[in-house]
Amino acid sequence: MPEIRFLQPAFLWFLPLVLVPLIILLLLRRRYREQPFGSLLLLRRIWEKRKRSLRIQEILLLILRVLILLLIVLLFGRPLLNRGAGRTVSLSAASHVIILDDTFSMRLRNGGATLFDQAKREASQLLSLFPPSSQCAILALSAPSGDWAGSPREAQAKLQNIGPTFRTGAFTEAAAALSNLISQAREPGVAVYLFSDFPAIALDTLRHLRSASTRKKQIDWTFVQVSSLSPVAIWTDTLSLVPRATGVDGRLELRMGVVSSVPLTQAPALDAFIGTDHVARRRMLLGHGPMQDTLILPLRAGGVLSGKVAIDASDDLPEDNARYFNFFNPPSLRVAVLADQEGLPTVLNAFRGSILSGAQTIQFERVDGEAWGASASRYDAVWIFEQAFPPASLKDALRSTLNQGKGVIITLGSNADAAAFNRLLLGPLGLGEMVQPRGGGGFHRISRLKTQSPLFSGFPQRLREEVLFEQYFSINPAPQASILAEMDDGSPFLLESRAWGGSLLLMAGSLRDEGASNIAQSAFIVPFLHRCIETSSNALRQGMQCTIGDPIHIPFGKGQKLQDPLVWLDPKGNAVRFPVASVARSGELRVPPVTEPGNYRLARAPGDTLSVSANIAKTESDIRPAMPEQIRMFVASFRGQWISGSADHFSAMNRILRGWDLSLVILIFLALALLAESLLAGRFPS
Amino acid sequence: MPSSTDVLDPRFVSRLKSLDLKAKMIVEGYFAGLHRSPYHGFSVEFSQYRPYIPGEPVRHLDWKKFARSDRYVVREFEDDTNLKAHLLLDTSGSMGFASKDAISKLHYGVMLGAALAYLLVQQRDAVGASLLGPQRTMLIGPRTTKSHLLRVLALLQNAEASGREPAGAALSAIADKLGKKGLVIVLSDFLENLDAFLQGLRHLRYLEHDVIVFHLLDPLETQFDLTRSSTFHDLETGERIAFDPARIRTEYLRAMAAHGETLQSECRKMRVDFCPLTTDSSFDKALTAFLQKRAKLRYA
């Protein structure tokens, strides 16, 4: 919101002068001079004609004269229009503190120069904006100390002596140093400027710095994000990576724990991210299960990796930098498989390597049908795979699963007991009724596909010929079931329905058939599973989402009933207790960052549980707006000014600090007002 | 010793006490400066001795008078037109107006009228006077004697600007009382409905009177250079209007000029001589206009 401030606010004390024309008019009206005149013959005629317009002129003249005085006062006040909301400190009457982030992550190279170089250059430009007699100080975030440097010139000299480090930020010390500087500031106002890349720990940084505020001084905050590229995460469409920060010229040793069908060499490399062209070894990774490998790769911005990474200490990197290289496993799509056979059906191998959008892999786990219900919440979908007799408890377990919005796939094998299935599943689930096995005498194809269904969005029509079944069940579909495909004899083959809030897919034929094409079937099975995940994820979003590796802040409403202690449960059921007192002061619970994706829960009060879904950030767009947005909101909460994105931070700083000088505008209006007043007052001869 | 210029300055003359003195001063002052004026040599002749003015042709000197009195005098020829002149002075309220540092229009008119009367009697013309206004009944018929001149001067001296009686109507009324044709001298500001005045002038012309009109205005009325918002007070009607004069000045001046032009053009049509004057004008302009008119009548 644009604000107007004045460089010489003392002149505003003259504002009451604008009432002078009104006072003069009122006084003059009372004291009109008596003017005898020979005859008002001519004057009367003119007066009658011009009475009204003269009154209007009088009012306009009054307005113009008031406006002229107002503009003169404003002109002397030197108004500036600035876009920085909440700026209360004028440039000429402030002590200035520049905090330069010289920590590890600022060594990231961004187009040749590092972020630190950019920040230092911009800080130097900022110093040039300050009046020569200003009091200035420079703090390095990794080792903040020092007093007021003196004039901007002296601060420039100090700035040149600061270089990038491998250290982390000393936030507590920075806050203390800032607080000390503020209390010793010469001017009534202090302007604080932080140049940083604002990595994931930025909120903590800012919280510490804000604690340095004092009521005794007016403080303006300006935060300059020197790079729009967040080093928090980088992303491709195949893998996910969440480094905490990188920026060292060197190499990384990776232990890969990811399943990938794309060779890493084909993923956008990360050389520029680090600024090195070290190439040690590369391995082609073809994903068929977890791999344990050590890979040394150059890293460049834009690349994506996932897995666990260790630092090669031979590069003389400090040990504590290991946390900057924590990579996390991407979440998998967990599907519980209820099958009669031991192990997973081999046919499911066809799906294991499938990559859904968002680089989620599918992980199948065979579960015991009777005991499965207790662990149902761990899975994103359930696949009842060609069982002969569904367990009696399956119905309740499925209801629980579907209640969570998750998906269920039922594949009927040739050995399926129709009566049992109809009674326990197909009927209650609203799918229909198995009639009798069909088939025999050759292979049958799927025909009459409901291609407009999203499940077939990726279905290659030409492969329809390759999907062959020998045996299948004829189904009487339930009214609410949707027939997605039929066999060539018109019998429904693929049905979709919804029950108890979840999605159901019924395939009337067996996948065991030799003629079944994995590719063809995956073209609609996989999207279905993905849709189930999305649906269940949406259901979970009624709770809260967070990104693994980031601190979790759970706010509480005023007066909200809370139990003591608050209980935090991870996906494995492990509990961490937080006393309510930790919430009382700040109004929020701060949970340490989680490192495993999954669904967490916070028991707030008896019967009141908050679900927190922790996921790896999926895309750069997920991460980029999230963290900067949080930061921006936080900055706005204490009326700081945020500068980012634009390459020309100096112009933005100039505009915010100096604002747009309105003097010329006021001068123009003043000239126009004077001209108008003179014309109206008849000073110019006609 | 006042110069010839001073004695023609209305402000100077107005300081003199008696009206006959003023009149004499004006006339003699006028002629004293005559040799410097462009009107020198126009054919006016007088019927009495008058002081010789150095520089004049000596052929008009009366040597016998010089021998007797040791004074240089000029013998004038008697005018035998027997002109009967009537002075008509507007005494309506508006004539009493005088702006700062100026004399009132009435006072100016009185002094001018007195000077003209003096001049006429000096020429052995008959002069009478009347006041246009509530006192219009005051009519003095034209005579040539000096004692009559004093009566005329007394009438003029006692004139007061008052009342709301339009002078224009009075003009028509008095026209019938003026007798056979003569010269009518109207002194007025004409700040009222012109139609009545013009009707009066037409009446006079119908009666074959020769008419000369002196349009008397105050400098403020012609310049209207007031800057301060004021409450304007009509001296005739008592009406009051408050406004800022600066804002209507242009229009007023335009209206005043149009008023004067109308009057002048109508006078021209009626073959009435018109002489606009302001109360700070020197008297020589008025006297010259009168003498030019008088000269035309001599040869009419």
Side-chain angles (χ1 to χ4, degrees):
Chain A
M1 186 78 180
E3 285 190 357
I4 295 179
R5 58 186 173 87
F6 294 88
L7 287 181
Q8 308 288 346
F11 278 98
L12 299 181
W13 285 105
F14 288 96
L15 274 176
L17 284 179
V18 303
L19 295 174
V20 165
L22 180 64
I23 293 167
I24 290 175
L25 181 69
L26 293 172
L27 285 175
L28 282 180
R29 274 228 177 120
R30 282 190 177 185
R31 296 185 195 173
Y32 264 13
R33 191 175 66 175
E34 279 288 325
Q35 175 62 54
F37 209 68
S39 170
L40 296 186
L41 172 72
L42 299 177
L43 288 175
R44 192 190 315 114
R45 284 182 201 156
I46 296 169
W47 170 248
E48 289 301 324
K49 209 167 69 168
R50 293 276 314 276
K51 196 161 51 176
R52 192 174 170 169
S53 68
L54 285 173
R55 284 267 146 81
I56 292 171
Q57 266 186 26
E58 193 177 81
I59 292 168
L60 279 176
L61 270 172
L62 177 65
I63 292 170
L64 279 171
R65 285 162 185 166
V66 167
L67 184 64
I68 285 166
L69 285 174
L70 177 67
L71 290 173
I72 289 172
V73 171
L74 290 180
L75 192 62
F76 276 98
R78 292 284 313 278
L80 291 180
L81 177 69
N82 82 56
R83 299 172 62 186
R87 296 205 77 80
T88 53
V89 177
S90 82
L91 193 66
S92 59
S95 297
H96 304 276
V97 180
I98 294 177
I99 304 174
L100 190 61
D101 186 347
D102 61 338
T103 61
F104 194 11
S105 63
M106 292 289 282
R107 297 178 76 106
L108 171 68
R109 287 190 189 280
N110 188 20
T114 63
L115 298 183
F116 178 83
D117 294 334
Q118 183 182 347
K120 194 168 169 180
R121 188 186 74 243
E122 290 179 358
S124 180
Q125 287 175 327
L126 178 65
L127 281 169
S128 69
L129 291 179
F130 301 150
S133 57
S134 298
Q135 185 185 33
C136 301
I138 307 287
L139 289 180
L141 194 60
S142 67
S145 66
D147 299 317
W148 290 99
S151 66
R153 202 169 173 181
E154 287 159 328
Q156 288 276 16
K158 189 175 175 186
L159 182 67
Q160 298 314 313
N161 291 331
I162 298 176
T165 68
F166 294 116
R167 293 190 290 263
T168 59
F171 308 122
T172 309
E173 292 83 348
L178 179 61
S179 182
N180 190 43
L181 285 170
I182 290 171
S183 63
Q184 292 175 0
R186 184 179 70 203
E187 303 290 349
V190 179
V192 181
Y193 315 86
L194 171 61
F195 290 83
S196 174
D197 58 338
F198 291 96
I201 51 173
L203 278 176
D204 279 340
T205 312
L206 296 174
R207 286 197 180 94
H208 275 91
L209 291 177
R210 185 169 71 170
S211 67
S213 295
T214 167
R215 284 188 183 170
K216 292 181 184 172
K217 298 273 187 184
Q218 204 66 36
I219 301 177
D220 274 351
W221 300 88
T222 306
F223 303 95
V224 185
Q225 187 186 30
V226 289
S227 172
S228 61
L229 170 67
S230 169
V232 176
I234 40 182
W235 179 252
T236 68
D237 57 353
T238 56
L239 305 166
S240 62
L241 172 77
V242 183
R244 307 313 290 152
T246 58
V248 63
D249 288 348
R251 57 186 182 179
L252 290 179
E253 191 177 69
L254 306 175
R255 291 199 199 104
M256 301 308 300
V258 67
V259 174
S260 168
S261 65
V262 177
L264 275 176
T265 53
Q266 292 182 13
L270 297 168
D271 295 320
F273 193 67
I274 296 296
T276 181
D277 51 6
H278 288 181
V279 176
R281 229 173 358 128
R282 292 196 178 116
R283 288 280 299 258
M284 295 284 285
L285 297 177
L286 296 172
H288 288 286
M291 287 183 64
Q292 299 294 328
D293 200 352
T294 299
L295 187 70
I296 298 175
L297 283 177
L299 297 179
R300 191 176 67 201
V304 175
L305 298 167
S306 67
K308 293 194 178 135
V309 180
I311 297 296
D312 180 355
S314 66
D315 277 333
D316 294 328
L317 297 173
E319 280 275 338
D320 59 1
N321 281 304
R323 67 171 176 273
Y324 283 96
F325 299 96
N326 288 327
F327 298 91
F328 300 94
N329 284 325
S332 298
L333 178 64
R334 288 198 175 101
V335 182
V337 180
L338 276 70
D340 286 339
Q341 63 186 45
E342 291 295 322
L344 283 174
T346 53
V347 68
L348 294 185
N349 286 333
F351 296 93
R352 187 175 292 114
S354 298
I355 301 296
L356 302 176
S357 66
Q360 287 174 312
T361 57
I362 305 176
Q363 192 173 324
F364 298 103
E365 288 180 25
R366 186 176 175 279
V367 296
D368 183 319
E370 294 294 341
W372 162 68
S375 60
S377 62
R378 291 185 62 217
Y379 300 96
D380 300 297
V382 179
W383 196 338
I384 302 167
F385 190 86
E386 299 179 4
Q387 284 195 308
F389 292 91
S393 62
L394 186 58
K395 178 180 154 187
D396 292 330
L398 285 181
R399 186 203 291 260
S400 163
T401 298
L402 289 166
N403 270 340
Q404 295 177 56
K406 298 177 181 178
V408 175
I409 305 175
I410 303 174
T411 311
L412 298 176
S414 55
N415 58 344
D417 184 273
F421 267 92
N422 286 341
R423 186 177 66 251
L424 292 173
L425 295 178
L426 272 59
L429 293 177
L431 283 166
E433 188 186 19
M434 294 162 66
V435 180
Q436 58 183 7
R438 300 287 291 272
F443 291 113
H444 301 269
R445 289 188 173 81
I446 298 175
S447 67
R448 281 203 279 274
L449 300 174
K450 193 174 178 180
T451 53
Q452 63 269 33
S453 167
L455 292 186
F456 292 113
S457 60
F459 188 82
Q461 291 291 322
R462 59 180 173 77
L463 297 176
R464 186 176 65 81
E465 298 295 321
E466 300 180 26
V467 180
L468 301 168
F469 294 90
E470 193 175 4
Q471 278 194 312
Y472 55 91
F473 274 92
S474 65
I475 304 290
N476 284 335
Q480 63 266 38
S482 175
I483 301 171
L484 301 181
E486 293 173 346
M487 299 304 287
D488 49 10
D489 64 359
S491 179
F493 173 72
L494 197 63
L495 293 98
E496 189 182 29
S497 183
R498 286 189 63 79
W500 298 317
S503 301
L504 296 148
L505 188 69
L506 174 66
M507 200 152 63
S510 169
L511 286 175
R512 284 183 206 266
D513 283 333
E514 292 172 3
S517 162
N518 294 334
I519 296 172
Q521 290 172 58
S522 69
F524 55 81
I525 294 291
V526 168
F528 175 79
L529 291 173
H530 186 222
R531 224 170 63 174
C532 294
I533 299 305
E534 278 189 345
T535 308
S536 65
S537 298
N538 285 335
L540 285 173
R541 271 191 202 120
Q542 291 166 13
M544 214 175 117
Q545 297 246 320
C546 69
T547 305
I548 52 175
D550 287 340
I552 303 170
H553 297 272
I554 302 171
F556 294 96
K558 201 174 180 181
Q560 183 172 356
K561 208 171 173 186
L562 300 172
Q563 69 186 32
D564 188 9
L566 300 161
V567 181
W568 174 259
L569 292 161
D570 66 12
K572 292 176 182 163
N574 299 320
V576 177
R577 288 173 171 73
F578 294 93
V580 167
S582 61
V583 169
R585 205 169 179 190
S586 60
E588 62 180 11
L589 176 67
R590 294 173 196 174
V591 180
V594 297
T595 56
E596 294 287 337
N599 298 323
Y600 295 75
R601 282 167 295 148
L602 176 70
R604 294 184 284 200
D608 177 12
T609 302
L610 175 73
S611 296
V612 180
S613 172
N615 292 297
I616 198 167
K618 292 195 176 81
T619 64
E620 198 167 32
S621 62
D622 288 339
I623 293 171
R624 272 188 174 180
M627 183 50 69
E629 189 55 38
Q630 285 182 48
I631 295 173
R632 270 193 285 273
M633 286 169 60
F634 183 79
V635 162
S637 72
F638 61 106
R639 296 171 69 80
Q641 185 64 37
W642 177 264
I643 302 174
S644 72
S646 165
D648 187 6
H649 291 159
F650 179 69
S651 295
M653 285 190 289
N654 206 2
R655 273 200 304 279
I656 285 165
L657 296 179
R658 286 187 181 282
W660 285 301
D661 194 339
L662 296 177
S663 297
L664 182 61
V665 172
I666 289 179
L667 207 56
I668 291 171
F669 275 106
L670 181 60
L672 290 172
L674 284 168
L675 182 65
E677 195 271 346
S678 296
L679 285 171
L680 265 179
R683 292 203 190 94
F684 293 134
S686 59
Chain B
M1 180 72 176
S3 68
S4 58
T5 316
D6 291 337
V7 298
L8 294 173
D9 183 345
R11 280 174 296 186
F12 177 80
V13 174
S14 67
R15 288 191 221 124
L16 300 176
K17 283 198 177 164
S18 68
L19 189 57
D20 56 345
L21 184 61
K22 289 175 189 174
K24 183 179 177 184
M25 181 89 46
I26 291 168
V27 172
E28 290 184 0
Y30 174 74
F31 284 106
L34 195 60
H35 69 282
R36 290 190 293 275
S37 83
Y39 303 106
H40 170 63
F42 69 87
S43 55
V44 172
E45 293 180 351
F46 296 90
S47 61
Q48 66 168 28
Y49 292 109
R50 65 168 173 80
Y52 167 73
I53 299 163
E56 279 189 290
V58 299
R59 56 189 164 90
H60 288 147
L61 277 172
D62 190 332
W63 295 110
K64 285 185 184 172
K65 194 77 176 174
F66 173 72
R68 281 202 295 274
S69 62
D70 209 23
R71 283 192 301 143
Y72 292 107
V73 294
V74 172
R75 180 180 287 196
E76 303 285 320
F77 292 100
E78 190 171 333
D79 177 12
D80 55 6
T81 61
N82 290 323
L83 180 72
K84 286 187 170 48
H86 304 273
L87 288 166
L88 301 181
L89 178 63
D90 181 356
T91 57
S92 60
S94 62
M95 288 291 287
F97 174 63
S99 62
K100 193 179 171 189
D101 298 332
I103 59 172
S104 69
K105 290 179 281 187
L106 182 71
H107 192 183
Y108 188 94
V110 164
M111 288 192 291
L112 178 57
L116 291 173
Y118 185 89
L119 195 56
L120 284 159
V121 167
Q122 291 283 5
Q123 293 174 80
R124 292 189 180 268
D125 287 326
V127 64
S130 179
L131 303 178
L132 299 176
Q135 302 147 312
R136 67 178 182 273
T137 54
M138 298 292 287
L139 171 65
I140 299 177
R143 296 270 171 86
T144 60
T145 60
K146 280 190 183 169
S147 58
H148 186 73
L149 173 63
L150 292 174
R151 286 177 63 203
V152 168
L153 295 181
L155 177 69
L156 293 175
Q157 181 121 35
N158 294 324
E160 285 175 3
S162 63
R164 302 178 59 168
E165 195 78 28
L171 186 62
S172 283
I174 211 159
D176 293 326
K177 297 179 184 173
L178 293 181
K180 65 174 182 179
K181 66 175 183 181
L183 172 64
V184 178
I185 303 163
V186 182
L187 302 147
S188 174
D189 57 7
F190 295 95
L191 285 181
E192 56 180 83
N193 192 330
L194 276 183
D195 291 340
F197 260 118
L198 294 173
Q199 183 62 27
L201 291 175
R202 284 189 202 100
H203 196 169
L204 287 169
R205 290 295 295 141
Y206 173 73
L207 295 172
E208 295 182 2
H209 291 290
D210 289 297
V211 185
I212 179 168
V213 162
F214 289 99
H215 185 197
L216 304 178
L217 288 173
D218 187 274
L220 183 62
E221 287 169 333
T222 56
Q223 292 158 25
F224 204 62
D225 51 357
L226 294 168
T227 54
R228 192 173 152 180
S229 294
S230 308
T231 302
F232 288 83
H233 169 215
D234 190 319
L235 290 175
E236 277 192 19
T237 64
E239 184 184 359
R240 306 170 95 85
I241 304 175
F243 55 86
D244 181 359
R247 290 202 264 140
I248 62 165
R249 182 170 182 260
T250 307
E251 261 180 278
Y252 170 83
L253 292 177
R254 208 178 295 135
M256 179 56 86
H259 185 81
E261 278 163 18
T262 303
L263 182 59
Q264 187 169 10
S265 82
E266 290 300 319
C267 287
R268 198 181 303 123
K269 286 177 194 170
M270 290 185 268
R271 288 193 292 160
V272 169
D273 282 25
F274 181 82
C275 179
L277 296 168
T278 53
T279 55
D280 58 352
S281 304
S282 167
F283 287 114
D284 61 342
K285 184 181 173 191
L287 292 176
T288 302
F290 169 76
L291 291 172
Q292 281 177 329
K293 179 71 174 179
R294 180 70 183 83
K296 283 185 225 170
L297 293 176
R298 182 170 186 263
Y299 295 108

